[in-house]
Amino acid sequence: MARTNRQSVTIARDCNRSTLSKGQKTFNSLIQQIEKRRMRLSAWETVTPTFQ
């Protein structure tokens, strides 16, 4: 399976607003969790052939 270079999508702060809304913070947090799990999956995919 070919891998593509993926970049995370995050909600940037608006120049007129000082903080993100609760929903925007939740979204960014979930995106960070997805990225961590993608990295973990990539590590497993690298090691799996050794065990097979």
Side-chain angles (χ1 to χ4, degrees), residues 9-11 21-34:
V9 176
T10 58
I11 297 175
S21 71
K22 181 179 177 183
Q24 290 171 326
K25 289 178 183 179
T26 301
F27 178 82
N28 285 342
S29 174
L30 292 171
I31 292 296
Q32 289 175 351
Q33 289 178 28
I34 290 169

Side-chain angles (χ1 to χ4, degrees), residues 13-50:
R13 290 187 180 176
D14 188 4
C15 60
N16 298 329
R17 296 179 65 184
S18 60
T19 59
L20 297 176
S21 71
K22 181 179 177 183
Q24 290 171 326
K25 289 178 183 179
T26 301
F27 178 82
N28 285 342
S29 174
L30 292 171
I31 292 296
Q32 289 175 351
Q33 289 178 28
I34 290 169
E35 284 302 313
K36 287 179 185 178
R37 291 177 185 188
R38 279 184 181 155
M39 290 179 4
R40 189 183 313 165
L41 176 61
S42 177
W44 273 105
E45 288 174 339
T46 302
V47 176
T48 300
T50 304

